[in-house]
Amino acid sequence: MSKSHPKVIKSREQYREYMDEFLSLFGKNLDNDQDMKDRYELLGVVIRDYESREFPPEKPSAIDAILFEMDERGLSHSDMVEYFGSRSKVSEVLNGKRGLSQTMIKKLHLGLGIPYDILFQDPESIVDEPRNEIKVINNSIIVKKYNDIEDTNEWSAHGVSAMPMDLNLSKPPANEEIH
């Protein structure tokens, strides 16, 4: 055989040349010609390598990945509440009206195995999560804890639950003693 062994493809012209040869051998019985069979297999390897570099597959969107996993596992919107926190959040996220929070992303990754790089594709769309806040009022430390699952805020002082209050942090809840 006078042809040289296929080499790593570095141009479109070389790709077309190798692809033409590969297609001409496709479907032929090469069992009696080991050199040609080896060449065919090697052409397939260098073509696949070139295509993976030049034509990488597109990643699915986070929503498409979630819907795919739901379909594969037979999960309903109700089943997804454990990952999103509420039925309304499930609906909002899956309809594109709400972004994923960091908590949701972590739960989807750990629970359904969706890769982080799929869930974090658009950092601009990550929803900021409310954070716990700490205040010192009347020489007491009080903490406003945010519960992402129940979407609630609750104040506590020294580990003792206090009444939930509005988001006005300038004063403690009225008529409530904090110890």
Side-chain angles (χ1 to χ4, degrees), residues 4 6-7 18 29 52 54 61 78 100 111 118 124 126 132 135 159 168:
S4 65
K7 304 205 180 328
Y18 284 179
N29 183 355
S52 70
E54 293 297 315
S61 71
S78 296
L100 293 169
I118 300 291
E124 301 288 320
I126 305 299
N132 295 341
K135 289 281 185 182
N168 181 355

Side-chain angles (χ1 to χ4, degrees), residues 104-175:
M104 291 175 192
I105 289 170
K106 184 176 181 180
K107 289 179 181 181
L108 290 164
H109 173 72
L110 295 174
L112 299 179
I114 301 172
Y116 281 125
D117 67 321
I118 300 291
L119 296 169
F120 272 118
Q121 286 183 61
D122 182 12
E124 301 288 320
S125 70
I126 305 299
V127 175
D128 285 335
E129 297 175 334
R131 302 283 183 231
N132 295 341
E133 295 182 40
I134 299 173
K135 289 281 185 182
V136 176
I137 300 176
N138 298 332
N139 296 323
S140 296
I141 297 174
I142 62 170
V143 177
K144 181 180 80 169
K145 294 183 179 178
Y146 180 75
N147 180 331
D148 187 49
I149 298 299
E150 297 174 11
D151 200 16
T152 60
N153 290 304
E154 187 175 300
W155 286 95
S156 63
H158 299 286
V160 178
S161 261
M163 287 179 52
M165 67 179 273
D166 63 23
L167 297 179
N168 181 355
L169 302 177
S170 61
K171 59 183 180 179
N175 300 326

Side-chain angles (χ1 to χ4, degrees), residues 20-101:
D20 287 344
E21 183 179 353
F22 181 81
L23 293 173
S24 73
L25 297 172
F26 184 75
K28 290 186 177 178
N29 183 355
L30 303 175
D31 291 337
N32 296 328
D33 188 346
Q34 190 61 43
D35 287 340
M36 194 56 72
K37 187 175 182 179
D38 290 345
R39 183 169 182 79
Y40 176 73
E41 289 175 359
L42 190 53
L43 283 167
V45 169
V46 296
I47 288 169
R48 185 177 26 238
D49 173 66
Y50 179 80
E51 289 176 343
S52 70
R53 286 183 284 120
E54 293 297 315
F55 314 113
E58 288 187 33
K59 291 180 184 178
S61 71
I63 293 172
D64 287 341
I66 293 165
L67 292 171
F68 176 80
E69 285 299 326
M70 288 175 65
D71 185 55
E72 287 292 302
R73 298 167 186 253
L75 300 173
S76 67
H77 282 217
S78 296
D79 297 323
M80 299 305 289
V81 170
E82 72 178 277
Y83 304 104
F84 293 99
S86 69
R87 289 181 62 82
S88 63
K89 286 181 184 178
V90 172
S91 179
E92 289 170 358
V93 169
L94 296 180
N95 288 317
K97 295 180 180 177
R98 178 187 187 109
L100 293 169
S101 70

